[in-house]
Amino acid sequence: MRTTPARRPPPPATAAAMLLASIGLVLAAGCRAEAPAPAAAPAAAALIVCTRLDDADETRLLLGLAADGRSVSRFELVTPDFLWRIPGQPETRRFAAGESDASPDLSGALRFSVLIDGEGELRMVDFAAPTPDAVQLEGLRGSLAVHESWQNDRALGSLFHAATGNLVDVTAVHCRRFAEAAQR
């Protein structure tokens, strides 16, 4: 007569893994199995305007995002710390001809890293000049962080920017998001 050997009890680590797998199956039993949702269509192009909370004219950022939501298509920075040379700019009450506190579009001159959350919403944009003298504001670098969920296309955030020569600023900003239907 042939006897089968007695089964050894599983080691504790294996027993714990089996218990966790069993619990997962029990919890999943209440969920419906569905086909995966189709991939979401890319977000429409957006224009995000961020302004300083206490003085909208002093610091501003204009950020254009392409339809993929990850590519920067427009980037303009206003900072009271620096005047930009803009050929052809007419003289105003505040600035001499050819000068402005608003930068030209820097989207082609800077490098960008865009962070999107799990729901496809913008959370952070890091920007930096690839070389210290790539733009007029030498060593320009910084970040825009969106600190809350967008509600009615508005959110609070912070704008950090720095440059060579101890130019460093962190500003609380209010951001508004617009669908960029009308081109510049």
Side-chain angles (χ1 to χ4, degrees), residues 112-134:
F112 298 94
S113 176
V114 178
L115 179 65
I116 304 294
D117 68 12
E119 295 167 1
E121 296 294 333
L122 175 71
R123 286 293 160 221
M124 183 173 285
V125 176
D126 285 331
F127 55 92
T131 60
D133 59 352

Side-chain angles (χ1 to χ4, degrees), residues 30-165:
C31 300
R32 292 185 312 182
E34 295 180 0
L47 180 66
I48 297 172
V49 179
C50 297
T51 58
R52 186 178 180 131
L53 288 178
D54 59 350
D55 188 349
D57 289 328
E58 188 171 305
T59 301
R60 292 187 309 277
L61 175 69
L62 183 66
L63 176 67
L65 293 176
D68 65 3
R70 296 181 183 276
S71 302
V72 175
S73 59
R74 189 171 175 188
F75 187 89
E76 296 173 25
L77 178 66
V78 174
T79 174
D81 304 314
F82 190 78
L83 289 179
W84 298 86
R85 290 183 311 275
I86 301 179
Q89 178 80 17
E91 183 176 349
T92 66
R93 281 187 291 152
R94 294 176 56 201
F95 306 108
E99 289 185 348
S100 176
D101 62 347
S103 75
D105 183 359
L106 301 172
S107 61
L110 300 177
R111 300 243 170 103
F112 298 94
S113 176
V114 178
L115 179 65
I116 304 294
D117 68 12
E119 295 167 1
E121 296 294 333
L122 175 71
R123 286 293 160 221
M124 183 173 285
V125 176
D126 285 331
F127 55 92
T131 60
D133 59 352
V135 296
Q136 293 176 38
L137 187 51
E138 186 179 351
L140 178 63
R141 61 202 176 281
S143 297
L144 168 68
V146 179
H147 300 299
E148 61 184 7
S149 297
W150 294 91
Q151 295 181 8
N152 297 325
D153 287 324
R154 296 171 189 244
L156 292 176
S158 60
L159 173 63
F160 158 75
H161 68 276
T164 305

Side-chain angles (χ1 to χ4, degrees), residues 156-174:
L156 292 176
S158 60
L159 173 63
F160 158 75
H161 68 276
T164 305
N166 294 328
L167 172 62
V168 176
D169 189 32
V170 179
T171 305
V173 292
H174 176 254

